[in-house]
Amino acid sequence: MGQANTSLGSIGKDLDSALKSGEAQFSQLTTPSNPLEVFQTGRRVSFLSKTSCKYLRCLPDGNLDSLGVLDAYSNFFVTCVSPNRFTLRNCGYNTQYISFAAGLLACRGTGGPDCEFSASITTDSYVILEAVANPGHHIGTLNTGAVTNPAQTLKEHLAAHFKPMQTNTADTAFKEVSSTLQKDVNKAVTSGNQLQALQNGHIVLLESKLSKKCIQLRSDGVADALGLAEASSEYTVYVTQSPTEQFYSFSKKQHPSVHLAIEQGVLVAGNAPLDPSAQFRAHLVAPNFLALECVGQTGAFIGALGDGSIADPTKTTPADDAAHLLVRHQVLYL
C-alpha cells in the first residue's frame, strides 16, 4: 500500500506540473498585452471574473452569472459601434446581447443602445465594462457568481473586474500547447499500475495496443477500436466488490445506460451494468497494459486487431497483444 501511495503521489506531482505548464502557455497565447485589443469587431471574448474565478455566462432564461466554463455560453461576439463602444452578443444564444434594461443587467438585448458598452483598464490589467447609455453602471459579479446591482457597482470594486480572453485564438493556442502537454499528461496518468485508473467514477479511455485507437460503441451498438480520444470514446468506471475480488463495469459517458458487454461471445452494447456480461476482471499484463476478462464468460477477453476490428473474445487470451489495453484516466480535455 505504501508503494502504491508513493506511486500515486508521483503521478499527482507530474500531472500538476504538466497542467501548470500548459495553463501558463495557454494564458500567454490568449491574453493580449493590452486588454482593450480584444474589443474589435468579429472577435470572440470570454470574461474571467476576479471574484468568482469563473467566466461570465448567459443562462437559458436570459440572466447572467459568473459560474461559466469555457464554452459557447461564456463566449461573446464583439461588434464595434465606434472606438471603445461595442456590443457583446452571446455565442450560445446568438440572438441575445448583454444589456441594461430598466437598470437591470441581463442577456436579453437585441443589439440596441441599451446593449452598448465601453471598457477601461485597471492597474493589474483587468477590464471594467460600463454601460454607454447609463454612465456609472458597471457589470459586476460576486464570488458566488451572482450579478451585482449595476448602479451600485463602482470601478474600484473587485466585482467589476474581469480578465478578457480572446477565444478566437483559443483553438490555435490549444494546438500549439496540446502536443507537448498531452505527452506530459499521458506520461503522468498512464505511468505506474494501470489499476489505479480503474476507480469508481473515473472517466477513462481504453486504447488498443494494436490499433493505437480507442474502444468505442457506435450508435448502431457495434464495437470497434477506431475511436478518437474524445467524449464519444469515454467510459465511466463502476466498481463492484465480491468477497474475493473487484469487478469493473464501463458505462458510456455520453449514454450512461449503455455499457460494454460480452454477450454470446461478441463485444456489444449492454444495458444491464450489474449483469455478469457487463462486468470485467482486470489483469495486469505487459508494462502499462491490462486485459479485461468478462465475468459472465470466463476466458473471454476484450480484444482489438490492428485494423480496429474487434477480435473474437472467446479466442483472445491475456498473452495476445490484441487483449492489451492502455487505460487513460481523462483528467482534462485538449
Side-chain angles (χ1 to χ4, degrees):
M1 179 63 74
Q3 187 176 12
N5 287 338
T6 300
S7 178
L8 281 172
S10 176
I11 291 172
K13 290 178 181 178
D14 291 344
L15 181 57
D16 185 60
S17 176
L19 294 179
K20 286 181 178 178
S21 174
E23 181 181 3
Q25 293 177 61
F26 184 68
S27 177
Q28 184 178 16
L29 288 164
T30 57
T31 304
S33 56
N34 179 359
L36 295 184
E37 291 177 3
V38 303
F39 298 109
Q40 298 183 35
T41 295
R43 291 191 172 178
R44 288 187 288 117
V45 182
S46 288
F47 299 96
L48 182 66
S49 165
K50 190 170 189 177
T51 53
S52 73
C53 298
K54 294 187 178 179
Y55 292 91
L56 188 70
R57 66 176 177 181
C58 182
L59 299 171
D61 61 2
N63 288 318
L64 289 164
D65 69 18
S66 63
L67 296 176
V69 296
L70 277 177
D71 60 16
Y73 306 103
S74 65
N75 268 246
F76 297 88
F77 287 109
V78 177
T79 301
C80 289
V81 179
S82 61
N84 198 23
R85 185 171 174 174
F86 49 84
T87 61
L88 297 169
R89 177 166 58 90
N90 189 254
C91 297
Y93 302 106
N94 60 19
T95 62
Q96 297 175 211
Y97 293 74
I98 297 181
S99 64
F100 283 108
L104 299 176
L105 179 66
C107 192
R108 304 189 190 95
T110 58
D114 62 326
C115 302
E116 295 177 5
F117 296 88
S118 62
S120 56
I121 309 176
T122 68
T123 55
D124 52 356
S125 297
Y126 284 79
V127 299
I128 300 164
L129 300 171
E130 183 173 9
V132 172
N134 296 274
H137 288 58
H138 302 96
I139 295 177
T141 59
L142 303 174
N143 57 4
T144 61
V147 170
T148 59
N149 184 328
Q152 297 176 0
T153 305
L154 305 180
K155 287 187 174 183
E156 57 266 29
H157 292 168
L158 296 183
H161 297 184
F162 294 89
K163 181 75 72 174
M165 189 174 80
Q166 184 184 333
T167 48
N168 299 64
T169 63
D171 292 341
T172 300
F174 269 130
K175 289 177 182 178
E176 293 187 31
V177 173
S178 64
S179 179
T180 299
L181 179 56
Q182 186 70 69
K183 291 177 182 177
D184 291 341
V185 170
N186 286 346
K187 181 180 178 181
V189 302
T190 60
S191 60
N193 190 330
Q194 282 279 280
L195 292 176
Q196 293 168 355
L198 296 183
Q199 297 185 35
N200 206 39
H202 274 193
I203 306 298
V204 300
L205 298 169
L206 301 174
E207 182 181 308
S208 163
K209 183 178 183 179
L210 295 183
S211 75
K212 308 298 184 185
K213 293 186 179 179
C214 301
I215 302 290
Q216 65 175 357
L217 288 170
R218 305 199 309 251
S219 58
D220 59 4
V222 175
D224 64 33
L226 295 173
L228 302 177
E230 58 189 18
S232 61
S233 301
E234 291 177 342
Y235 298 92
T236 303
V237 178
Y238 294 98
V239 183
T240 54
Q241 186 81 43
S242 80
T244 58
E245 58 185 330
Q246 287 185 327
F247 302 140
Y248 304 94
S249 298
F250 300 89
S251 166
K252 283 198 68 171
K253 181 185 174 185
Q254 292 184 327
H255 303 285
S257 63
V258 177
H259 297 73
L260 284 174
I262 293 179
E263 298 177 357
Q264 298 180 350
V266 180
L267 182 63
V268 296
N271 56 15
L274 296 181
D275 189 272
S277 66
Q279 293 184 317
F280 296 86
R281 297 182 181 90
H283 301 268
L284 291 172
V285 285
N288 288 336
F289 290 93
L290 54 76
L292 296 175
E293 179 186 15
C294 180
V295 172
Q297 192 168 352
T298 301
F301 288 81
I302 295 177
L305 304 179
D307 62 1
S309 61
I310 297 298
D312 183 341
T314 64
K315 297 179 180 179
T316 303
T317 72
D320 300 331
D321 282 350
H324 295 183
L325 301 174
L326 182 66
V327 179
R328 298 195 185 278
H329 175 202
Q330 294 298 88
V331 292
L332 82 167
Y333 296 91
L334 295 176

